[in-house]
Amino acid sequence: MNNKVLIADDDDRIREIVCLYLEAEGFNVCQAEDGNKALEMVRNDNPDIVILDLMMPGLDGWTVCKILRKETKIPIIMLTAKGEENDRVLGFDLGADDYVVKPFSPRELSARVKAVLRRLEGEESKEHILAYSGLKVNQITREVEVDGINISLTSKEFELLQCLAKRPGQIYSRDQLLNMVWGYDYCGDSRTVDTHINRLRSKLESQVGHSDFIQTVRGVGYKFELSGH
């Protein structure tokens, strides 16, 4: 199976039980004990699905889900003691794919993980592919191809390309890109955007004739341009 599952819960016993059961089912499992760690692991370890407890120290599950939905389409199963209808509705409104109430059966949780992943695989169609002349961006697998050749991008490089490519011709300022890719609480400056854009261009330019997808708008920022492709 080899799908990677992130279980984020501040209860050590619950994480251990879920981890043991899912590993026995053939999943690779990683663990986070709080919301901040969960965000870090999603961004760095690229799990295939997140099991997310709502009541965690630091960032709670609601906040983590909201942030993740701005950054990625990774499927999320909420795991919580809150079973009221309003809580479930809020979870789905924030972008959760499923909702499991404690106490729960590890067998049922595993079945729900498999069901969500199967549904995701079935939905992976052309609507998740940004395709332009010579360039293909898969928003689910996060793979990028130029002229059929896979281009290796870092997480931030991919997210920059995705933001720009989703709206060709739209001009984004450096501050807008910082907020969209790094988040509103990022403490760096706009030069970070320039550095990542330059690296992204260099990787796209490795395939002759594809260096001008991302264009600089002097005094403003950047845009994704289709002219000439």
Side-chain angles (χ1 to χ4, degrees):
M1 188 175 295
N2 294 324
N3 289 108
K4 182 184 290 187
V5 180
L6 169 61
I7 167 69
D9 195 305
D10 62 322
D11 189 318
D12 295 344
R13 183 172 174 273
I14 288 179
R15 292 202 315 274
E16 181 180 355
I17 292 172
V18 172
C19 183
L20 288 173
Y21 196 91
L22 290 180
E23 285 181 342
E25 291 284 292
F27 291 99
N28 294 321
V29 185
C30 51
Q31 303 180 40
E33 67 276 7
D34 58 52
N36 289 306
K37 184 65 174 178
L39 282 177
E40 177 186 345
M41 295 185 73
V42 170
R43 291 163 175 166
N44 295 332
D45 296 342
N46 296 316
D48 297 295
I49 188 169
V50 177
I51 300 172
L52 182 64
D53 181 42
L54 292 185
M55 307 304 290
M56 292 187 292
L59 292 179
D60 60 27
W62 307 114
T63 304
V64 173
C65 183
K66 190 174 181 179
I67 293 173
L68 287 178
R69 275 297 162 262
K70 292 180 179 179
E71 300 181 356
T72 176
K73 293 182 179 292
I74 187 172
I76 298 170
I77 296 178
M78 285 188 166
L79 184 63
T80 178
K82 290 181 174 292
E84 292 81 1
E85 180 181 353
N86 288 342
D87 293 312
R88 295 196 300 272
V89 170
L90 177 57
F92 288 126
D93 284 345
L94 288 175
D97 297 270
D98 204 349
Y99 203 108
V100 177
V101 179
K102 300 175 183 177
F104 62 91
S105 159
R107 182 180 179 185
E108 178 188 357
L109 179 59
S110 176
R112 287 179 179 267
V113 168
K114 293 174 183 176
V116 170
L117 289 172
R118 283 197 303 269
R119 186 166 68 243
L120 182 67
E121 291 172 359
E123 291 172 353
E124 187 174 328
S125 60
K126 291 183 179 178
E127 67 182 86
H128 300 295
I129 305 292
L130 300 174
Y132 306 105
S133 179
L135 176 67
K136 181 183 293 185
V137 180
N138 189 315
Q139 298 183 85
I140 292 181
T141 65
R142 299 171 72 88
E143 294 177 326
V144 176
E145 294 181 4
V146 177
D147 290 339
I149 298 175
N150 188 270
I151 304 297
S152 178
L153 301 181
T154 66
S155 177
K156 296 305 182 188
E157 289 167 355
F158 176 86
E159 289 161 16
L160 272 174
L161 177 60
Q162 182 184 40
C163 283
L164 293 166
K166 286 171 71 173
R167 294 178 176 81
Q170 173 71 46
I171 300 172
Y172 292 99
S173 69
R174 290 168 176 82
D175 286 340
Q176 285 176 317
L177 291 172
L178 271 179
N179 290 335
M180 293 165 64
V181 175
W182 280 266
Y184 290 96
D185 57 348
Y186 180 70
C187 297
D189 58 40
S190 62
R191 288 175 294 183
T192 298
V193 174
D194 297 333
T195 299
H196 282 75
I197 287 288
N198 288 336
R199 291 174 181 169
L200 178 56
R201 279 173 166 164
S202 177
K203 291 180 179 182
L204 296 178
E205 192 175 6
S206 65
Q207 305 304 311
V208 177
H210 293 286
S211 61
D212 57 340
F213 276 117
I214 301 174
Q215 296 189 0
T216 301
V217 180
R218 190 177 298 277
V220 182
Y222 298 98
K223 68 176 180 176
F224 186 87
E225 184 57 65
L226 294 179
S227 61
H229 294 285

